Amino acid sequence: MSAGASVSLHELNAFDRQRFVSTLGAIYENSPWVAEAAAADRPYSSLSALHERMSGVVLKADESRKLTLLNAHPDLAGKAARAGTLTAESEAEQKDAGLDRLSEKEFFEFHRLNETYRKKFGFPFIICVRRHSKDSLFRQFDLRTKNDQAVERNAALKEVIRIAALRLNQRVAGVDQLNVNGRLSTHVLDAYSGRPAQGVALELHELSQVGSDHLIVAGVTNIDGRTDGPLISGRPVPIGGYELRFALGDYFRRSGIILPDPPFLDKVPVRFSIADPESHYHVPLLATPWSYSIYRGS
Amino acid sequence: MSAGASVSLHELNAFDRQRFVSTLGAIYENSPWVAEAAAADRPYSSLSALHERMSGVVLKADESRKLTLLNAHPDLAGKAARAGTLTAESEAEQKDAGLDRLSEKEFFEFHRLNETYRKKFGFPFIICVRRHSKDSLFRQFDLRTKNDQAVERNAALKEVIRIAALRLNQRVAGVDQLNVNGRLSTHVLDAYSGRPAQGVALELHELSQVGSDHLIVAGVTNIDGRTDGPLISGRPVPIGGYELRFALGDYFRRSGIILPDPPFLDKVPVRFSIADPESHYHVPLLATPWSYSIYRGS
Amino acid sequence: MSAGASVSLHELNAFDRQRFVSTLGAIYENSPWVAEAAAADRPYSSLSALHERMSGVVLKADESRKLTLLNAHPDLAGKAARAGTLTAESEAEQKDAGLDRLSEKEFFEFHRLNETYRKKFGFPFIICVRRHSKDSLFRQFDLRTKNDQAVERNAALKEVIRIAALRLNQRVAGVDQLNVNGRLSTHVLDAYSGRPAQGVALELHELSQVGSDHLIVAGVTNIDGRTDGPLISGRPVPIGGYELRFALGDYFRRSGIILPDPPFLDKVPVRFSIADPESHYHVPLLATPWSYSIYRGS
Amino acid sequence: MSAGASVSLHELNAFDRQRFVSTLGAIYENSPWVAEAAAADRPYSSLSALHERMSGVVLKADESRKLTLLNAHPDLAGKAARAGTLTAESEAEQKDAGLDRLSEKEFFEFHRLNETYRKKFGFPFIICVRRHSKDSLFRQFDLRTKNDQAVERNAALKEVIRIAALRLNQRVAGVDQLNVNGRLSTHVLDAYSGRPAQGVALELHELSQVGSDHLIVAGVTNIDGRTDGPLISGRPVPIGGYELRFALGDYFRRSGIILPDPPFLDKVPVRFSIADPESHYHVPLLATPWSYSIYRGS
């Protein structure tokens, strides 16, 4: 069964032990023993129950087994990634975080950080990359390398379980039972005309202090002043800095309003940060040609 | 008498003809005949009356004299500037607009534009540089080179008179009688605590699409939430794009408010353009850790 | 079949002629001939198609029949209402608009207006009362009585058709195909804490200049900062003046914020008017203890 | 010397003892001994120094003298007021607070409260009435009657000194050295057109729960969007509830904007309370035909 395919909880409950383990063996990186231990307690009434059981297996394992689990993980942006020998899951996750597009300098910086970390703790730096921007990854590297052994071992296991939750959520079809995803959305209101602003071009950029900013998504507001779908959804919203850019001047000019040249407001940048990847961030813009408000809405 | 010194209208009215002309001879570039013509009509009851008389002399001159006046002006960012042979007034004005800090590429671009313009119209491109950012200068070059001869000759004379108004306003001491200056100011209100936001670090940048952005002024808000003086004043506010950057995250963190890490709002950029250099632009920020409003105030 | 029961379009299409007419005979007040004429053209593919056909019958009728139709309507808040001899439909509509709770003075004022109108035009004043507040009814009386005969006859027929659309929409089950309903909703955002404001008590009042204000609905915001249902929905939002009152001081005090005594903001009144009964009016409040914004949202 | 006339500090320092005492004898109600004690320490370098000395005389007096001072005050809205036998100062202060316009019911309520208070404490209820609305006076009566003897005696003396500060500030000409006054102002910004809103009619009402609301001042905004003077100034801003009412609909209609009928926003009420009478409350309105913001500004 390929990494992309998904099964229902119902099917999982009915699988024979071997098929259950082969289906969920990769939830914990290179560690099918977690799925094996969980197979016996079927049926599971919910995805949460299954996740809780599997993470319980990990947390109750003895220290040497925990260490083995941690060491079953690849380096972040490491040689395995370059050599193409990652598991399908790790490859997708690292690629998603842009770790396959590192500059030579960034690659060596990650290498250096990995070495320092591994030397101090005896296992690779593990982090649920989907919850972080590149800047946030560097920052976590920095912060966590300062931890002591016991604190950091717990931190690493917590990340292992976060990775597993996301993999499980993706692997098992159905409603989003695990609350592992967040959402980022926007809405443009035209306070000049008292209606949703339709046709406002906008862009969402990820800001970076270590690398360069990059465009995540571009769109245009619909008749309700919203983009047709959320800007980010179906995944955690990576911790990091963002900028929404609204082409407000073009919108009002097209509305037939006579604006000064250049208009007082043209491209409106709204800069904000995400700290809680599993939350809904709604960032509406309420605007006239001469004023605007933004806020964290709901 | 040096370019910097200033006289009162009262003194000007009392000067002998020669001293009047030597004092105001440079108001119109290399054209003391304008001051000469105006000397006879003294006394002037106001600076406006004097300015109106001098500009009237120019507008009523015959075409060949007007052309001579236009040709008495140097190229914008031209060889004279490089060679240091500008009049004191032109040198100060061009320097103020950053035309002494052009890159090699920009210098040649100006040179090319000057040649094209001069070839078409038979006189140099004249513009009241203090009213424009570098981007706006390039844009005006582009727009005006498309004019026909008659329209452009009027446009050039209008700029000559604008330059004269600013020089006159600076040369003659007293209240700002000529309404040639604008103002840009800001104000930060803390809607979380219901009081002016004191201690907010802020920067004003000029944005450029042809060159690079540059910092105009940095400051910190005082107990009234304002900077101690306006961000720009005592001169026209150059037509162009600007960005105010407010260190809002630092302010709220210092206020003892517990913010997420990273905070939802940290550096807040407010991007706007100036179209009317002689106006007062007040751009206040009303903020909480989760929202802000900006508007053109008064 | 009672006035309250509803049928599906499918059933209507299948009814025999007599049952069709008895079901829809009251859509046009005391005028089953409209349904009779429409029965022949079945089946109808949509409620809109049926409504268009029935209103077409009315508009194409000769003048004397139109006049008969107009005269088949009762006086607004008239003697028939007092005597309890209205059709079930008219009774429900007039009651809904508060016309059964008139003061003696208002009753005589309506009586006087009815007499004046009828004397001028030869038929009773007809209006789709569900689209109006009491103040708006008085105003319409006043405005329409000034019309000339031809204009007013058209105005009256337009109202007859509006009444029919609402009756049809209520009578025939299914989705709201006729777009005859509007909606009024609110939302409270706490910009102090960056989240929806839960537990804000609020009231919606209808304002009246001819009578007294009255409470339409009271509620409390839920975890999403909204009321559990819209404030007004499933009907036109009556044209008129409204005031939303938000108990903002109580909310912030309960949040543990130390407020001045008395708090700067306590009961926040938001006064607005509805002009378009078939629209969605969303009126959110974005507030801190020291500031608030309201706007027509979507 | 009449109550209204004022002297300079310089003059006061130069007066003979008798004239000094006759000038400041009424600063403390019917208690010229305070001025007598302060006369010896002249000259005073500032009004603050004089106020501090006089209040020091009061605070250092023995208990029986303090009690005599308290008893030298009239009842609030009492029989003396009705009989016209108040000191000029007390009469002006009580009149200013509207205590000369009480209904029969309010008069008897004050009478009852005075009796209860005096019976408990042995001296009349004293309060600096200029700092309170009528509602706030009733509330203070209620709260302070619950105090114990020692706490209340201090509270009463504090009020005596507040009254003295206001009288002194009014009696002695010059700058407002005593910081006893507050200010209430507004400002209307038109975010539709990006300029101050000129010509907006507005009213300030004092709200009352015990009596009826009353109009304090009405005005129209000038070219800068402000009223020509503050709404309240040159005195403390009475603690209490207020409503500003802005005729926003009329303003936008006059601006030539086509509005719905009725307009979404017409009379805009802004309700707020004052808790700190010596502060500056600036309450601006930023509006479009479809939205507005208010906040405590500066």
Side-chain angles (χ1 to χ4, degrees):
Chain A
M1 181 174 269
S2 85
S6 69
V7 297
S8 70
L9 187 62
H10 184 74
E11 290 171 312
L12 276 176
N13 280 329
F15 281 170
D16 61 33
R17 180 188 180 85
Q18 193 185 339
R19 195 162 173 202
F20 179 86
V21 171
S22 75
T23 305
L24 299 189
I27 297 299
Y28 284 85
E29 185 85 357
N30 290 316
S31 305
W33 55 270
V34 184
E36 266 158 34
D41 290 350
R42 290 180 295 167
Y44 290 99
S45 59
S46 70
L47 193 51
S48 297
L50 173 57
H51 175 55
E52 212 158 309
R53 175 71 181 108
M54 291 179 79
S55 58
V57 168
V58 167
L59 292 170
K60 283 170 208 142
D62 61 32
E63 289 305 301
S64 80
R65 199 147 205 201
K66 283 178 181 165
L67 190 58
T68 305
L69 171 58
L70 296 180
N71 272 306
H73 286 76
D75 276 352
L76 194 68
K79 286 176 190 165
R82 288 231 159 167
T85 60
L86 291 179
T87 61
E89 287 76 9
S90 283
E91 190 183 338
E93 289 156 5
Q94 297 204 11
K95 194 171 170 179
D96 215 41
L99 298 184
D100 61 330
R101 297 185 307 270
L102 295 180
S103 67
E104 222 31 35
K105 199 183 143 211
E106 288 170 334
F107 177 77
F108 283 111
E109 179 60 8
F110 268 115
H111 183 69
R112 193 187 62 74
L113 291 165
N114 273 319
E115 290 305 298
T116 308
Y117 181 96
R118 184 190 286 276
K119 199 163 162 190
K120 175 163 180 187
F121 297 111
F123 52 86
F125 179 72
I126 304 166
I127 191 163
C128 180
V129 291
R130 283 193 205 264
R131 299 179 75 250
H132 296 274
S133 64
K134 203 198 289 173
D135 281 33
S136 180
L137 286 178
F138 275 114
R139 186 151 178 257
Q140 288 299 315
F141 240 134
D142 192 49
L143 289 174
R144 285 175 48 194
T145 303
K146 290 174 184 150
N147 283 340
D148 67 26
Q149 182 69 227
V151 167
E152 182 53 23
R153 207 174 266 219
N154 282 335
L157 280 174
K158 197 172 170 187
E159 294 297 318
V160 165
I161 289 167
R162 278 175 165 157
I163 294 166
L166 279 169
R167 290 179 179 179
L168 200 56
N169 201 61
Q170 201 165 36
R171 192 72 163 142
V172 184
V175 288
D176 182 349
Q177 300 161 279
L178 288 184
N179 199 27
V180 289
N181 293 333
R183 199 161 34 141
L184 174 62
S185 57
T186 189
H187 191 184
V188 189
L189 284 148
D190 173 349
Y192 184 93
S193 302
R195 60 177 177 230
Q198 183 181 10
V200 179
L202 58 87
E203 295 177 348
L204 176 68
H205 293 258
E206 182 186 313
L207 303 183
S208 177
Q209 288 171 334
V210 300
S212 52
D213 301 348
H214 78 274
L215 177 69
I216 298 177
V217 66
V220 175
T221 56
N222 60 24
I223 197 172
D224 196 34
R226 301 173 197 270
T227 51
D228 287 334
L231 299 169
I232 296 178
S233 67
R235 55 160 297 159
V237 187
I239 294 169
Y242 296 86
E243 189 169 287
L244 269 165
R245 294 179 195 154
F246 299 91
L248 199 65
D250 289 346
Y251 166 76
F252 282 120
R253 201 178 295 113
R254 267 201 324 274
S255 301
I257 301 169
I258 295 166
L259 301 175
D261 178 20
F264 182 63
L265 299 174
D266 192 7
K267 305 272 184 257
V268 168
V270 175
R271 199 169 292 178
F272 59 93
S273 290
I274 299 290
D276 182 3
E278 288 78 26
S279 279
H280 179 198
Y281 284 78
H282 185 55
V283 186
L285 180 75
L286 175 66
T288 78
W290 302 97
S291 65
Y292 62 88
S293 299
I294 73 103
Y295 53 94
R296 180 168 181 192
S298 76
Chain B
M1 180 175 270
S2 86
S6 68
V7 297
S8 69
L9 187 62
H10 184 75
E11 288 171 314
L12 276 176
N13 281 328
F15 281 171
D16 61 32
R17 180 187 180 87
Q18 191 184 339
R19 195 161 174 202
F20 178 85
V21 173
S22 75
T23 305
L24 300 189
I27 297 299
Y28 284 85
E29 185 84 357
N30 290 317
S31 306
W33 55 270
V34 184
E36 267 157 33
D41 289 350
R42 291 179 293 167
Y44 291 100
S45 60
S46 69
L47 194 51
S48 297
L50 173 57
H51 175 57
E52 211 159 309
R53 175 69 181 108
M54 290 178 80
S55 57
V57 168
V58 167
L59 293 169
K60 283 171 209 145
D62 60 32
E63 288 306 302
S64 80
R65 198 148 206 199
K66 282 178 181 165
L67 189 59
T68 306
L69 171 59
L70 297 179
N71 272 306
H73 286 77
D75 277 352
L76 194 66
K79 286 176 191 164
R82 287 231 160 167
T85 61
L86 292 178
T87 61
E89 286 77 7
S90 283
E91 189 183 339
E93 288 156 6
Q94 297 205 11
K95 194 170 172 181
D96 215 40
L99 298 183
D100 61 331
R101 296 185 308 269
L102 295 180
S103 67
E104 223 28 39
K105 199 183 143 212
E106 288 169 335
F107 177 76
F108 283 110
E109 179 61 9
F110 268 114
H111 183 69
R112 192 189 62 74
L113 290 165
N114 274 319
E115 290 305 297
T116 308
Y117 181 95
R118 184 190 286 274
K119 198 165 163 188
K120 175 164 180 186
F121 297 111
F123 52 86
F125 179 74
I126 305 167
I127 190 165
C128 180
V129 291
R130 283 192 204 266
R131 299 179 76 250
H132 296 273
S133 64
K134 204 198 288 175
D135 281 32
S136 181
L137 287 178
F138 276 113
R139 185 152 179 256
Q140 287 300 314
F141 240 133
D142 192 49
L143 288 173
R144 285 175 47 194
T145 303
K146 291 172 185 152
N147 283 340
D148 67 25
Q149 182 70 228
V151 167
E152 181 53 23
R153 208 175 267 218
N154 283 335
L157 280 174
K158 196 171 171 188
E159 293 297 318
V160 164
I161 290 166
R162 277 176 166 156
I163 294 167
L166 278 169
R167 289 179 180 179
L168 201 57
N169 201 60
Q170 202 165 34
R171 193 71 162 144
V172 184
V175 288
D176 181 347
Q177 298 161 282
L178 289 184
N179 199 27
V180 289
N181 293 332
R183 200 162 34 143
L184 174 61
S185 57
T186 189
H187 191 183
V188 189
L189 284 148
D190 172 350
Y192 184 93
S193 303
R195 60 177 177 228
Q198 182 181 10
V200 179
L202 57 86
E203 295 176 349
L204 175 68
H205 293 258
E206 182 186 315
L207 303 183
S208 178
Q209 288 172 334
V210 300
S212 52
D213 302 348
H214 79 274
L215 177 69
I216 298 177
V217 65
V220 175
T221 55
N222 59 25
I223 196 172
D224 196 34
R226 301 174 196 269
T227 50
D228 287 335
L231 299 168
I232 295 178
S233 68
R235 55 160 296 160
V237 187
I239 293 169
Y242 295 86
E243 189 170 285
L244 269 165
R245 294 180 195 152
F246 299 92
L248 199 65
D250 289 347
Y251 166 76
F252 282 121
R253 202 179 294 113
R254 265 200 326 273
S255 301
I257 301 169
I258 294 166
L259 301 175
D261 178 20
F264 182 63
L265 299 175
D266 192 6
K267 304 273 184 256
V268 167
V270 175
R271 200 169 291 179
F272 60 93
S273 290
I274 298 291
D276 182 2
E278 288 79 25
S279 279
H280 179 197
Y281 284 78
H282 185 54
V283 186
L285 179 75
L286 175 66
T288 78
W290 302 97
S291 66
Y292 62 88
S293 299
I294 73 103
Y295 54 93
R296 180 168 181 192
S298 75
Chain C
M1 180 174 270
S2 85
S6 68
V7 297
S8 70
L9 187 61
H10 185 73
E11 289 170 312
L12 275 176
N13 280 329
F15 280 170
D16 62 31
R17 181 188 179 85
Q18 192 185 341
R19 194 162 174 202
F20 179 86
V21 172
S22 74
T23 304
L24 300 188
I27 296 299
Y28 284 84
E29 185 83 357
N30 290 316
S31 306
W33 55 270
V34 184
E36 266 157 33
D41 289 350
R42 290 180 294 166
Y44 291 100
S45 60
S46 69
L47 193 51
S48 297
L50 173 57
H51 176 56
E52 211 158 310
R53 175 69 181 108
M54 291 179 79
S55 58
V57 169
V58 167
L59 292 169
K60 283 170 208 144
D62 60 32
E63 288 306 302
S64 80
R65 199 148 206 200
K66 282 178 181 165
L67 191 58
T68 307
L69 172 58
L70 296 179
N71 273 307
H73 286 77
D75 276 353
L76 194 67
K79 286 176 193 167
R82 289 231 159 166
T85 61
L86 292 178
T87 61
E89 286 77 8
S90 284
E91 190 184 338
E93 289 156 5
Q94 296 204 12
K95 195 171 170 179
D96 215 41
L99 298 183
D100 60 332
R101 297 185 307 270
L102 296 180
S103 66
E104 223 29 36
K105 200 184 142 210
E106 288 169 336
F107 177 77
F108 283 110
E109 179 61 9
F110 268 115
H111 183 69
R112 193 189 61 75
L113 290 165
N114 274 319
E115 290 305 297
T116 308
Y117 180 96
R118 185 189 286 274
K119 198 165 161 188
K120 174 164 182 186
F121 297 111
F123 51 86
F125 179 73
I126 304 166
I127 191 164
C128 180
V129 291
R130 283 192 205 266
R131 299 179 76 250
H132 297 273
S133 63
K134 204 197 290 172
D135 281 33
S136 180
L137 286 177
F138 275 113
R139 185 151 179 256
Q140 288 300 315
F141 240 133
D142 192 49
L143 289 173
R144 285 175 47 193
T145 302
K146 292 174 183 148
N147 283 340
D148 67 25
Q149 183 70 227
V151 166
E152 181 53 22
R153 207 175 268 219
N154 283 335
L157 281 173
K158 196 171 171 188
E159 294 297 317
V160 165
I161 290 167
R162 279 175 166 157
I163 294 167
L166 278 169
R167 290 179 179 178
L168 200 57
N169 200 61
Q170 202 166 34
R171 193 72 162 143
V172 185
V175 288
D176 182 347
Q177 300 162 280
L178 289 185
N179 199 26
V180 290
N181 293 332
R183 200 162 34 143
L184 174 61
S185 58
T186 190
H187 189 183
V188 190
L189 283 147
D190 172 350
Y192 184 93
S193 302
R195 61 177 176 230
Q198 183 181 9
V200 179
L202 57 86
E203 296 177 350
L204 175 69
H205 293 258
E206 182 186 315
L207 304 183
S208 177
Q209 288 172 335
V210 300
S212 53
D213 302 348
H214 78 275
L215 177 69
I216 298 177
V217 65
V220 175
T221 56
N222 59 24
I223 196 171
D224 195 34
R226 301 174 196 270
T227 51
D228 288 335
L231 299 169
I232 295 178
S233 67
R235 56 160 296 160
V237 187
I239 294 169
Y242 296 86
E243 189 170 287
L244 269 165
R245 293 180 196 152
F246 299 92
L248 198 64
D250 288 347
Y251 166 76
F252 282 120
R253 203 178 293 113
R254 266 200 325 273
S255 301
I257 301 168
I258 295 166
L259 301 175
D261 178 20
F264 182 62
L265 300 174
D266 192 6
K267 305 274 184 256
V268 167
V270 175
R271 199 169 291 179
F272 59 94
S273 290
I274 298 290
D276 183 2
E278 288 78 26
S279 279
H280 179 197
Y281 284 78
H282 184 54
V283 186
L285 180 75
L286 174 67
T288 77
W290 302 98
S291 66
Y292 62 88
S293 300
I294 74 102
Y295 53 94
R296 180 168 181 192
S298 75
Chain D
M1 181 173 269
S2 85
S6 68
V7 297
S8 69
L9 187 61
H10 185 74
E11 289 170 313
L12 276 177
N13 280 329
F15 281 170
D16 62 32
R17 181 186 178 89
Q18 191 186 339
R19 195 163 174 200
F20 179 86
V21 172
S22 73
T23 304
L24 300 189
I27 297 299
Y28 285 85
E29 185 84 357
N30 290 316
S31 305
W33 55 270
V34 184
E36 266 157 34
D41 289 350
R42 289 180 295 166
Y44 290 100
S45 59
S46 69
L47 193 51
S48 297
L50 172 58
H51 176 56
E52 210 157 311
R53 176 69 182 107
M54 291 178 79
S55 58
V57 168
V58 166
L59 293 169
K60 283 170 208 143
D62 61 32
E63 288 306 301
S64 80
R65 198 148 206 199
K66 282 178 181 165
L67 190 59
T68 306
L69 171 59
L70 296 179
N71 273 307
H73 286 77
D75 276 352
L76 194 67
K79 287 177 191 165
R82 289 230 158 167
T85 61
L86 291 179
T87 61
E89 286 77 8
S90 283
E91 190 184 337
E93 289 155 6
Q94 297 204 11
K95 194 172 170 179
D96 215 41
L99 298 184
D100 60 332
R101 298 185 307 269
L102 295 180
S103 67
E104 230 18 46
K105 200 184 141 211
E106 287 169 336
F107 178 76
F108 284 110
E109 179 61 8
F110 269 115
H111 183 69
R112 193 189 61 76
L113 290 165
N114 274 319
E115 291 305 297
T116 308
Y117 181 96
R118 185 190 286 275
K119 198 164 162 191
K120 176 164 180 187
F121 298 111
F123 52 86
F125 179 73
I126 304 167
I127 191 164
C128 181
V129 290
R130 283 193 205 264
R131 299 179 76 249
H132 297 273
S133 64
K134 205 198 289 174
D135 281 32
S136 180
L137 287 178
F138 275 113
R139 185 151 180 257
Q140 288 300 313
F141 241 133
D142 192 48
L143 289 174
R144 285 174 49 193
T145 303
K146 290 173 184 150
N147 283 339
D148 68 24
Q149 182 70 227
V151 166
E152 182 53 23
R153 208 175 267 219
N154 282 335
L157 280 174
K158 197 172 170 188
E159 294 297 317
V160 165
I161 290 167
R162 278 176 166 155
I163 294 167
L166 279 168
R167 290 179 179 179
L168 200 57
N169 201 61
Q170 201 165 35
R171 192 73 163 143
V172 184
V175 289
D176 182 348
Q177 299 163 280
L178 289 184
N179 199 27
V180 290
N181 293 333
R183 200 162 33 143
L184 174 62
S185 57
T186 189
H187 190 183
V188 189
L189 284 148
D190 172 350
Y192 184 92
S193 302
R195 60 177 175 231
Q198 182 181 10
V200 179
L202 58 86
E203 294 176 349
L204 175 68
H205 292 259
E206 182 186 314
L207 304 183
S208 177
Q209 288 171 336
V210 299
S212 53
D213 302 349
H214 77 274
L215 177 69
I216 298 177
V217 66
V220 175
T221 55
N222 60 24
I223 197 172
D224 195 35
R226 302 173 197 270
T227 50
D228 287 336
L231 300 168
I232 295 178
S233 66
R235 54 161 298 159
V237 187
I239 294 169
Y242 295 86
E243 189 170 287
L244 269 165
R245 294 180 196 153
F246 299 92
L248 199 64
D250 289 346
Y251 166 76
F252 282 120
R253 202 178 296 113
R254 266 200 325 273
S255 302
I257 301 168
I258 295 167
L259 301 176
D261 178 19
F264 182 63
L265 299 175
D266 192 5
K267 304 272 184 259
V268 167
V270 175
R271 199 168 291 178
F272 60 93
S273 290
I274 299 290
D276 182 3
E278 287 79 26
S279 279
H280 178 198
Y281 284 79
H282 185 55
V283 185
L285 180 75
L286 175 65
T288 78
W290 303 97
S291 66
Y292 62 88
S293 299
I294 73 102
Y295 52 94
R296 180 170 180 189
S298 74

